[in-house]
Amino acid sequence: MTPDSVPALTRNHAVTAIAIGGLVAGAIDLTQACILFGWDIPLSIARGLIGARADQGGAAIYLLGVFLHFFIAFSFAAFYYAVSRRLRFLVEYPLLCGLIYGAAVQEVMSLIVLPLSALHARGPYSLHELIQGLLVHMVVIGLPISFSVRKFAR
């Protein structure tokens, strides 16, 4: 291996870790959301960007919601990867760090993303909703991302 190939190899590992982590987390999260809340969840996601126009439905708006969902999942995977380059314990302890990261993702979504979206969702949330959201995101978002980074971006 030449010194010139090291940056390309590192970049390839980053892309792989982010792509697999974001894809797995996004797919599991979207599937569980559709099972729990109905198959029109992508329309609700699109509503967060374009507002009430998403209620018109249609394939394009549905696909926009799916795209936005995966964009967010890949963004959270990229953030975890970037931080893991400085905080190596994120790679060394993926179970604990993934669970904590998933809880943090839930809080960022609830306290920042949703209130700033066209949905303006601010709660109040029931205790059941809070616990369910935390547990789901800890497992279906945090763990796939943390283990993907551990596997592909050491």
Side-chain angles (χ1 to χ4, degrees):
M1 182 169 5
T2 67
D4 293 336
S5 66
V6 172
L9 185 61
T10 302
R11 187 172 40 254
N12 187 31
H13 286 208
V15 169
T16 302
I18 292 165
I20 291 176
L23 184 64
V24 171
I28 295 171
D29 186 45
L30 186 58
T31 301
Q32 70 80 25
C34 288
I35 290 169
L36 287 177
F37 305 111
W39 292 96
D40 61 343
I41 285 294
L43 297 176
S44 297
I45 296 168
R47 194 177 303 120
L49 180 65
I50 63 175
R53 291 183 303 174
D55 294 337
Q56 297 169 355
I61 294 174
Y62 195 89
L63 290 174
L64 174 64
V66 172
F67 170 80
L68 292 170
H69 178 77
F70 279 98
F71 176 79
I72 292 168
F74 287 123
S75 297
F76 279 119
F79 181 78
Y80 189 93
Y81 171 81
V83 173
S84 76
R85 302 301 88 193
R86 296 280 185 198
L87 303 177
R88 296 305 297 172
F89 65 87
L90 294 174
V91 175
E92 295 167 11
Y93 304 101
L95 178 63
L96 178 61
C97 293
L99 292 172
I100 293 168
Y101 188 65
V105 166
Q106 169 63 25
E107 295 309 306
V108 166
M109 292 302 295
S110 293
L111 299 174
I112 298 170
V113 175
L114 290 174
L116 292 176
S117 74
L119 294 172
H120 304 295
R122 298 184 193 280
Y125 301 105
S126 70
L127 181 59
H128 176 268
E129 291 171 328
L130 291 173
I131 292 171
Q132 180 183 29
L134 282 171
L135 291 175
V136 164
H137 284 89
M138 289 167 73
V139 173
V140 305
I141 298 292
L143 292 181
I145 290 172
S146 66
F147 278 98
S148 177
V149 169
R150 178 180 171 102
K151 171 107 175 122
F152 298 106
R154 292 199 125 225

